[in-house]
Amino acid sequence: MQDNFNQQIENLKINLIKMASLVDEQAEKAFTALETGNVELCRGIKAKELEVNIYDNLIQTQCENILALFQPVAVDLRFIISVMMINNQLERCGDIAVNIAQRVKKTNEHHSLIAETQILEMGKQAREMLKNAIDSFINNNIDLANKVIDSDESVDKFNKQIFKALVLKMQNETQLIEPCAHLIVLTRHIERLADHATNIAENLVFYVNARIIAHKKKFEKWGVSDQTID
Amino acid sequence: MKTKFHIKDLDLFFKEEKVLKQINFEIPANKILGIIGPSGSGKTTFLRALNRMNDLEDGTRIEGNILLDEEDIYKPDYDVVALRKKVGMVFAMPVPLPMSIYENVVYGVRLSGVNDSKLLDELVEKSLTASYLWDEVKDRLKTSGMRLSGGQQQRLCLARVLAMEPEVILLDEPCSGLDPISTAKIEDALTVLKKDYTIILVTNNTKQAARVADNTAFFLMGELIEIGSTGQIFTTPNRIETNDYITGRFG
């Protein structure tokens, strides 16, 4: 019984790692295309989405089966819950990589505009966050997960700064309104990717430390806690 | 929150062997305490210590105290018959007496001298209702208790305990031989009964403790390893031994 359970958990983890590798590959291609302007790299990102979605459904089914058949508790239950949440986050990261690739293609002729703003720095940071979030899960590395969580604020700041810079650009150079609009959407996608990477890291903390740390900064800012509602 | 039992420095010996070691904790009234642990961990011995059932075995002695409503149940002049009336017990195997359902329920009450038929009728309905059996047997109370199914027999035994109007109900693996539907009926009954009784449930089925107990205690090799709210024990146990047991890694 225990051997069977351990085997199912192992299979689940392997599938999640395979899915994470696909998403990582999608993100790598999308960000390299953004950085180099080589839109050829964008080809194949969309095709990977299908595989990611297959893993998404497979992992969800595996989790459902394990919950129904083994009714895990404590650390085992937290593992399944974390896998379900991370699965969801990864699937969205895959979608975002596709969205980023689409915007890269639309703004390819304006690479100087991309270089002029801080979009590449923001992209690098978000890319690094996703990579570290996946690594933290694979290796149960809490320090790395915390590093991801701490980086999110900086990506948010980039997003605000870039937004302001692009709005200014649109006001001053109306012929650039369309590429700037695409770039605003692009930075929004990058910001969301960083959010999902943060969520993955928070789920690892939940699994390993049995602590729910999501929304912690907002709660602190507003002076409330998750105990506020009975 | 009122404390029903207060266990202080309890050691229990069978001859020279110490089978319970330095047990210290309080059991709150009107709650369900689940006791879990592998075979030989001392959970049933502990349960039996709460109504002095272990006294019936030669060579048993205890050190320390068990206070029930702040009174030491092991002090020399404590009335053991009164104790067992106050602290009823349901065993793993249902033991219906070879008599009618009605007589099974009132057996203990009759022994204690009550013979008023109206009073007994009321008590039978009340006890069988509380044990979730009334609707199934109300039209055949004169049928032998032996003809009931295993699940019904166990609820009959619970009704027999309830008829004595105890304050505490001890249950030792009450659902071990029952199907899921009968188990659910016992569990439903316990959940309602805790309003009026303190319930202590020994179970090898950790999932059962998770479903019905307010607090759960984990015993291992005669020691109380950990006690806490059931939610805490089954999500974030503090001790590695508890974690390993509830996740099935040993035991």
Side-chain angles (χ1 to χ4, degrees):
Chain A
M1 175 82 166
Q2 194 59 32
D3 287 348
N4 187 10
F5 176 73
N6 290 338
Q7 189 59 56
Q8 302 243 12
I9 291 284
E10 193 57 32
N11 288 344
L12 184 61
K13 186 162 185 174
I14 288 169
N15 282 334
L16 194 72
I17 291 171
K18 283 181 182 169
M19 180 189 185
S21 304
L22 289 170
V23 173
D24 193 56
E25 202 181 316
Q26 285 181 297
E28 178 65 24
K29 281 186 175 173
F31 282 108
T32 310
L34 174 66
E35 203 178 321
T36 60
N38 180 3
V39 289
E40 281 303 303
L41 288 169
C42 296
R43 297 173 77 182
I45 295 178
K46 177 88 180 154
K48 283 270 181 271
E49 194 187 4
L50 183 66
E51 265 185 273
V52 170
N53 290 347
I54 290 170
Y55 272 110
D56 176 26
N57 287 1
L58 173 67
I59 289 165
Q60 198 176 326
T61 306
Q62 281 185 302
C63 288
E64 186 190 3
N65 283 344
I66 292 173
L67 288 172
L69 302 181
F70 299 95
Q71 296 151 36
V73 293
V75 65
D76 295 335
L77 178 61
R78 289 200 301 279
F79 179 77
I80 303 295
I81 292 172
S82 301
V83 168
M84 288 172 78
M85 309 273 266
I86 291 171
N87 179 39
N88 193 255
Q89 302 297 331
L90 283 174
E91 193 272 331
R92 288 180 187 190
C93 287
D95 289 347
I96 288 172
V98 173
N99 294 338
I100 290 173
Q102 281 169 350
R103 297 293 162 178
V104 167
K105 281 192 266 184
K106 284 181 178 161
T107 54
N108 191 39
E109 287 170 14
H110 301 273
H111 203 254
S112 58
L113 193 57
I114 295 171
E116 208 176 300
T117 55
Q118 293 174 293
I119 293 175
L120 293 179
E121 287 86 340
M122 183 189 183
K124 266 185 195 162
Q125 195 156 346
R127 169 79 193 93
E128 188 72 8
M129 283 173 71
L130 179 62
K131 197 171 176 338
N132 286 342
I134 292 169
D135 284 350
S136 73
F137 173 75
I138 293 172
N139 301 308
N140 287 350
N141 186 336
I142 285 291
D143 291 339
L144 196 55
N146 283 327
K147 192 179 162 194
V148 173
I149 294 162
D150 291 341
S151 304
D152 193 37
E153 216 172 302
S154 150
V155 172
D156 289 346
K157 272 185 196 159
F158 270 129
N159 189 32
K160 282 176 193 159
Q161 284 166 4
I162 293 165
F163 178 81
K164 275 184 194 165
L166 289 170
V167 168
L168 198 63
K169 200 79 176 167
M170 287 193 280
Q171 284 168 344
N172 295 335
E173 297 174 58
T174 50
Q175 76 280 11
L176 293 178
I177 284 179
E178 193 179 332
C180 285
H182 283 307
L183 290 177
I184 285 174
V185 177
L186 174 70
T187 50
R188 173 70 182 145
H189 288 317
I190 296 173
E191 190 266 332
R192 289 302 299 148
L193 188 94
D195 283 346
H196 291 307
T198 305
N199 292 345
I200 291 171
E202 286 172 347
N203 280 304
L204 180 81
V205 174
F206 169 68
Y207 162 50
V208 176
N209 289 351
R211 281 174 51 231
I212 298 172
I213 57 165
H215 318 302
K216 198 177 151 196
K217 281 183 185 152
K218 277 185 192 163
F219 289 156
E220 280 169 3
K221 192 175 162 190
W222 297 335
V224 296
S225 76
D226 45 6
Q227 308 294 320
T228 305
I229 300 168
D230 285 333
Chain B
M1 191 182 297
K2 193 183 169 222
T3 297
K4 197 65 186 171
F5 278 105
H6 191 166
I7 293 95
K8 292 181 176 176
D9 299 325
L10 178 70
D11 289 328
L12 191 144
F13 300 81
F14 283 143
K15 298 194 172 124
E16 293 310 310
E17 189 191 357
K18 196 194 259 192
V19 290
L20 291 177
K21 301 162 193 169
Q22 281 298 298
I23 311 291
N24 280 289
F25 73 109
E26 294 179 16
I27 300 176
N30 301 107
K31 298 274 181 199
I32 301 177
L33 170 69
I35 300 180
I36 59 171
S39 298
S41 60
K43 53 191 192 301
T44 294
T45 304
F46 173 75
L47 192 74
R48 291 162 63 91
L50 297 178
N51 71 348
R52 293 185 56 173
M53 289 282 283
N54 293 317
D55 292 9
L56 305 172
E57 295 200 29
D58 286 344
T60 304
R61 68 185 170 86
I62 76 148
E63 289 173 8
N65 311 94
I66 297 179
L67 308 184
L68 171 59
D69 295 327
E70 297 177 5
E71 198 178 356
D72 190 345
I73 63 170
Y74 280 88
K75 69 180 183 183
D77 57 344
Y78 198 91
D79 182 347
V80 179
V81 175
L83 170 69
R84 292 186 188 139
K85 189 166 180 273
K86 202 171 173 181
V87 183
M89 189 159 185
V90 176
F91 300 90
M93 287 292 292
V95 192
L97 302 168
M99 50 184 70
S100 70
I101 293 168
Y102 185 100
E103 288 303 324
N104 258 281
V105 177
V106 300
Y107 182 77
V109 185
R110 274 200 204 283
L111 274 184
S112 65
V114 178
N115 278 307
D116 181 329
S117 62
K118 189 167 175 278
L119 196 67
L120 292 177
D121 287 352
E122 283 171 8
L123 204 53
V124 166
E125 181 171 348
K126 190 178 157 197
S127 304
L128 288 171
T129 302
S131 68
Y132 277 48
L133 187 58
W134 175 251
D135 287 341
E136 292 166 50
V137 299
K138 63 185 177 191
D139 300 323
R140 48 178 177 139
L141 293 173
K142 289 192 166 37
T143 311
S144 167
M146 312 282 280
R147 293 184 63 182
L148 296 173
S149 71
Q152 288 172 326
Q153 286 182 3
Q154 193 61 301
R155 280 177 282 148
L156 180 65
C157 293
L158 179 59
R160 196 165 60 210
V161 168
L162 294 175
M164 294 298 287
E165 299 184 323
E167 293 175 19
V168 179
I169 306 170
L170 309 177
L171 300 111
D172 187 5
E173 286 279 355
C175 304
S176 59
L178 304 187
D179 66 276
I181 293 170
S182 301
T183 298
K185 283 181 178 168
I186 297 267
E187 290 176 358
D188 286 345
L190 297 181
T191 309
V192 174
L193 287 169
K194 73 175 178 184
K195 183 165 59 74
D196 300 312
Y197 305 87
T198 301
I199 297 171
I200 303 166
L201 167 71
V202 161
T203 177
N204 274 327
N205 180 350
T206 54
K207 304 289 189 278
Q208 180 170 56
R211 285 194 296 269
V212 300
D214 297 297
N215 298 301
T216 297
F218 171 56
F219 277 65
L220 182 67
M221 297 173 76
E223 289 181 53
L224 173 66
I225 300 295
E226 185 171 357
I227 181 165
S229 75
T230 299
Q232 179 255 315
I233 293 288
F234 284 93
T235 55
T236 50
N238 291 320
R239 295 282 299 266
I240 186 76
E241 297 93 329
T242 316
N243 182 71
D244 286 352
Y245 182 70
I246 61 170
T247 57
R249 287 183 171 79
F250 80 78

